[in-house]
Amino acid sequence: MDEEKNEQSGYEPRPAWQIWGARVGLVIFILFVIYQYLCILRGGM
């Protein structure tokens, strides 16, 4: 039983490229939302 517990891995952190990819994607999404709000506030859809 001890061997089975050792083989089961717990939490494994995500690779750095996935974390940075998510951050870049979030920034792009937020900038897009701000752009959409500015377009709506100017009166254009």
Side-chain angles (χ1 to χ4, degrees), residues 1-43:
M1 254 189 205
D2 291 333
E3 293 177 11
E4 290 179 9
K5 288 181 181 178
N6 289 340
E7 289 178 8
Q8 291 179 351
S9 61
Y11 171 75
E12 293 181 19
R14 296 207 181 267
W17 67 270
Q18 283 185 349
I19 294 170
W20 282 105
R23 289 175 181 167
V24 169
L26 180 63
V27 168
I28 291 171
F29 175 74
I30 290 172
L31 290 175
F32 179 73
V33 169
I34 291 171
Y35 170 75
Q36 290 294 317
Y37 275 119
L38 290 175
C39 286
I40 292 171
L41 290 174
R42 289 183 187 161

